[in-house]
C-alpha cells in the first residue's frame, strides 16, 4: 500500500457521513483537511529543531507556533459537523487573526506578514460559495485598513528596527504566501478536474441510457425546432439523427397531424405542464434498392425543461404505438362488424316475416278451403282459381328460398360458375320478353336497345340471365305507371357493358352506398310499398363479382336509377375460386342462420 493511499484512507475515516457518498463533496472535504493537518503536523515536528537552533522563542514566535493548532481544530470541526462553508469561514478568520497578530508587531501594513492578507479570499474561493468569498474579502480589507490606520496614528507597538528592516523576512513572507497560494491553486485545479471527470461520467451514463432506450428522447426550442434527438430515432424512423434536427422531425409529421403536434409543444412550453399527443410519422423503409416511405403512429409526451421561465424549452419522449393503434382499429372494425351483423339480423327478420308469411298464409288458407269444398260448395272454376293461387304462392316462396340459398352459396364460395361461350343478344332479348307482360301490367314501357352484332361472351349463361332478370324486374317494380325502362348493351374494349335505366322513384344518397348489401332495401321497412327480400341486387353483385366484372349504380330521388354491369368477354374461371372481394359479405353467424332458415322454409313448403 502506497503512502498516498494510506493518507487517503486516514482522511476518509475522518470524513463526516454526509460527505462519504458523493464523490465531489468527498474530494472537497479531503482537500480542506489534508493540507491543514499535514501543515500543522509538519510545523509541530519542526518546532523542537527550531528551539535547538534559535533558543528560547520570543512571545510573537510562541504565539505563531501556538496558532498552528487552529487548522487541526478546523479539520475536527468539519469532520464532526460536515459544514463545509462554515469551516472555510472559520479558516479565513483564523488566518486573518494570525496575519494581524504578526503584522501588528512587525511594522503594521509594511510588515512581511501583510502580504498574506491577499491569500485570505483566495483560500475562501475553494469553498465554492460566493457568500464565504465575499466575507473573506471583506475581512481581508478590514484587516488591511486597520493596520494602515493604526500605523498612521502610531497606535501599534514599536517594532524592532532590525526585524522591520530585515529584507530576508520580507522575502520569506512573499515566498511563503506564494507557495501557499500555489497550493490553493493546485487544490482548485484538482477539484475542477474531479468535477469535470464526474460530469463526463454523468454524461456518459445518460448517453448510455439514451442510446439503449427504445423510446426517442428529444429537446425542442420554443418554436418547436429539434435541438437534440437520441439515436433511437434512427431505428424508429430509418433516418439519421442529424437529419431530424431543426425542422427535420416536423417535416415527417403527417400534414393532418401537424397542428396537434405544434399545439402540444406550445402548450407544454407556456403552460408548465406535461402534454401528450398522438400523430403519424413518416418512416423510411429500405425495400430492395429503393427506400419506401410509410407512416407509423407515435405518441409524444412533452414537458417544459425549465419551469422558472415564462416560455421554456421542451423535452419530449416519443414512442412507437403503431401496434396499439392497429389493435384499436381491429377492435373498432370488430365492433362495427358486430353492429352490422345485428342490423343484418334485424333486416332479415323484418323482411322474412313478411315475405315468408304472406305466401305461406295463402297456401295454408286456400288449401284449407279446397279441403272443405263440400261445406263451402266450391265449383270447379273456384277450385282451379284457388289451386292457381296456391301455385303462385309456392312459386314466390320458392324464389325467395332460392335467392337465400344462392346468396349463401356465393358467400361461402360454393356457387359454381360453368363458363361456356354463348351469344349474349338472344339471352338478353329472351329475358326482356319474359318480363314484357309484367311491364305491360304495371303500365311501364320496356325498351330494348341491343346491337345486332354482339361478340360471343364466355361465361355462365344461367348467371347472365339471372343478372338481367333481377335488374329488369327491379326496374319495372320501382317504376310508376307511365314510366319507362330501357335495357341496352354495348361493347367497350374487352368488356360487354349492360345498362338498365328507369324513370322510377330513385334511391337516396344515404341508401345508395348500401345498395347490394343482403336484405337491404332503400327506405325503412315499414315505409316500402313493394314486395321483395332485398336480395336481388345482392345476388347480381355476387354474380358480377364471380365473373370478375364491375357493378355501378347511379340514382337520384324522383329521377330514376341506372345500373351498369361490365362483364369481361373472355372470362376464365380459376381452378379453385376464392370468394370474390366484390361479393357482399354476410357475417358468419347470420349466414349460418340464413341457411338453416332457408332449409326449414323449403322443407315446410
Amino acid at each position: 500500500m502506497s503512502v498516498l493511499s494510506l493518507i487517503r484512507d486516514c482522511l476518509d475515516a475522518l470524513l463526516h457521513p454526509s460527505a462519504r457518498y458523493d464523490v465531489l463533496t468527498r474530494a472537497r472535504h479531503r482537500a480542506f483537511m489534508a493540507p491543514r493537518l499535514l501543515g500543522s503536523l509538519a510545523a509541530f515536528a519542526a518546532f523542537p529543531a527550531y528551539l535547538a537552533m534559535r533558543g528560547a522563542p520570543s512571545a510573537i514566535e510562541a504565539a505563531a507556533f501556538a496558532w498552528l493548532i487552529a487548522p487541526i481544530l478546523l479539520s475536527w470541526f468539519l469532520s464532526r459537523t460536515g459544514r463545509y462553508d462554515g469551516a472555510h469561514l472559520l479558516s479565513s478568520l483564523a488566518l486573518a487573526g494570525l496575519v494581524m497578530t504578526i503584522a501588528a508587531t512587525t511594522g503594521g501594513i509594511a510588515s512581511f506578514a501583510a502580504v498574506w492578507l491577499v491569500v485570505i479570499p483566495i483560500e475562501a474561493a475553494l469553498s465554492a460559495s460566493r457568500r464565504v468569498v465575499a466575507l473573506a474579502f471583506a475581512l481581508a480589507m478590514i484587516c488591511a485598513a486597520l493596520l494602515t490606520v493604526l500605523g498612521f496614528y502610531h497606535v501599534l507597538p514599536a517594532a524592532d528596527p532590525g526585524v522591520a528592516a530585515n529584507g530576508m523576512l520580507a522575502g520569506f513572507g512573499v515566498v511563503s504566501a506564494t507557495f501557499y497560494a500555489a497550493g490553493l491553486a493546485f487544490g482548485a485545479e484538482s477539484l475542477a478536474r474531479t468535477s469535470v471527470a464526474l460530469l463526463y461520467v454523468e454524461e456518459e451514463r445518460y448517453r448510455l441510457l439514451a442510446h439503449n432506450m427504445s423510446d426517442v428522447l428529444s429537446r425542442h426550442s420554443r418554436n418547436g425546432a429539434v435541438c437534440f434527438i437520441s439515436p433511437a430515432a434512427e431505428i424508429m424512423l430509418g433516418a439519421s439523427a442529424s437529419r431530424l434536427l431543426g425542422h427535420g422531425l416536423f417535416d415527417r409529421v403527417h400534414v393532418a397531424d401537424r397542428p396537434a403536434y405544434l399545439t402540444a409543444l406550445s402548450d407544454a412550453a407556456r403552460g408548465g405542464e406535461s402534454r401528450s399527443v398522438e400523430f403519424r410519422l413518416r418512416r423510411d423503409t429500405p425495400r430492395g434498392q429503393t427506400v419506401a416511405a410509410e407512416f407509423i403512429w407515435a405518441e409524444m409526451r412533452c414537458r417544459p425543461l425549465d419551469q422558472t421561465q415564462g416560455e421554456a424549452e421542451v423535452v419530449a419522449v416519443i414512442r412507437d404505438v403503431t401496434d396499439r393503434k392497429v389493435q384499436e382499429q381491429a377492435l373498432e372494425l370488430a365492433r362495427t362488424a358486430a353492429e352490422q351483423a345485428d342490423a343484418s339480423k334485424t333486416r332479415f327478420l323484418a323482411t322474412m316475416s313478411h315475405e315468408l308469411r304472406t305466401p305461406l298464409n295463402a297456401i295454408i288458407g286456400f288449401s284449407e278451403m279446397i279441403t272443405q269444398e263440400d261445406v263451402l260448395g266450391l265449383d270447379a272454376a273456384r277450385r282451379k282459381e284457388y289451386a292457381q293461387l296456391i301455385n303462385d304462392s309456392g312459386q314466390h316462396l320458392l324464389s325467395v328460398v332460392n335467392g337465400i340459398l344462392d346468396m349463401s352459396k356465393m358467400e361461402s364460395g360454393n356457387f359454381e360458375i360453368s363458363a361456356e361461350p354463348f351469344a349474349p343478344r338472344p339471352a338478353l332479348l329472351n329475358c326482356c320478353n319474359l318480363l314484357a307482360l309484367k311491364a305491360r301490367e304495371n303500365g311501364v314501357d320496356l325498351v330494348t336497345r341491343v346491337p345486332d352484332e354482339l361478340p360471343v361472351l364466355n361465361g355462365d349463361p344461367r348467371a347472365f340471365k339471372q343478372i338481367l332478370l333481377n335488374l329488369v324486374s327491379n326496374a319495372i317494380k320501382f317504376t310508376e305507371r307511365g314510366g319507362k325502362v330501357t335495357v341496352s348493351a354495348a361493347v367497350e374494349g374487352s368488356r360487354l357493358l349492360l345498362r338498365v335505366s328507369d324513370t322510377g322513384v330513385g334511391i337516396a344518397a344515404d341508401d345508395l352506398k348500401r345498395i347490394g348489401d343482403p336484405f337491404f332495401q332503400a327506405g325503412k321497412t315499414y315505409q316500402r310499398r313493394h314486395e321483395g327480400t332485398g336480395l336481388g341486387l345482392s345476388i347480381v353483385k355476387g354474380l358480377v363479382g364471380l365473373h370478375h366484372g364491375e357493378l355501378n349504380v347511379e340514382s337520384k330521388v324522383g329521377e330514376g336509377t341506372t345500373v351498369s354491369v361490365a362483364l369481361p368477354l373472355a372470362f376464365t374461371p380459376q381452378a379453385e375460386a376464392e370468394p370474390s372481394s366484390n361479393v357482399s359479405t354476410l357475417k358468419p353467424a347470420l349466414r349460418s342462420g340464413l341457411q338453416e332458415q332457408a332449409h326449414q322454409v323449403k322443407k315446410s313448403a
Side-chain angles (χ1 to χ4, degrees), residues 330-341:
L331 290 175
E332 181 64 22
L333 289 176
R335 185 183 66 82
T336 304
E339 292 176 352
Q340 291 178 352

Side-chain angles (χ1 to χ4, degrees), residues 271 421 430 473:
N430 185 24
S473 177

Side-chain angles (χ1 to χ4, degrees), residues 136-193:
F137 172 74
L139 182 62
M141 293 300 295
I142 291 172
C143 291
L146 284 176
L147 290 176
T148 302
V149 172
L150 294 177
F152 180 77
Y153 289 103
H154 305 289
V155 177
L156 295 177
D160 186 353
V163 173
N166 193 340
M168 183 176 293
L169 287 178
F172 172 75
V174 173
V175 171
S176 61
T178 303
F179 271 101
Y180 191 77
L184 295 176
F186 280 114
E189 187 274 337
S190 177
L191 290 177
R193 188 169 59 248

Side-chain angles (χ1 to χ4, degrees), residues 179-247:
F179 271 101
Y180 191 77
L184 295 176
F186 280 114
E189 187 274 337
S190 177
L191 290 177
R193 188 169 59 248
T194 302
S195 179
V196 171
L198 291 176
L199 181 61
Y200 284 155
V201 171
E202 194 71 12
E203 287 183 353
E204 185 63 28
R205 183 183 299 125
Y206 285 112
R207 188 179 295 110
L208 182 65
L209 291 175
H211 276 260
N212 291 276
M213 285 182 63
S214 58
D215 296 345
V216 177
L217 300 177
S218 59
R219 182 166 58 88
H220 303 258
S221 62
R222 292 181 175 87
N223 62 354
V226 177
C227 304
F228 165 81
I229 192 166
S230 64
E234 299 182 8
I235 301 175
M236 179 182 292
L237 301 178
S240 62
S242 59
R243 293 174 55 190
L244 303 176
L245 296 177
H247 294 286

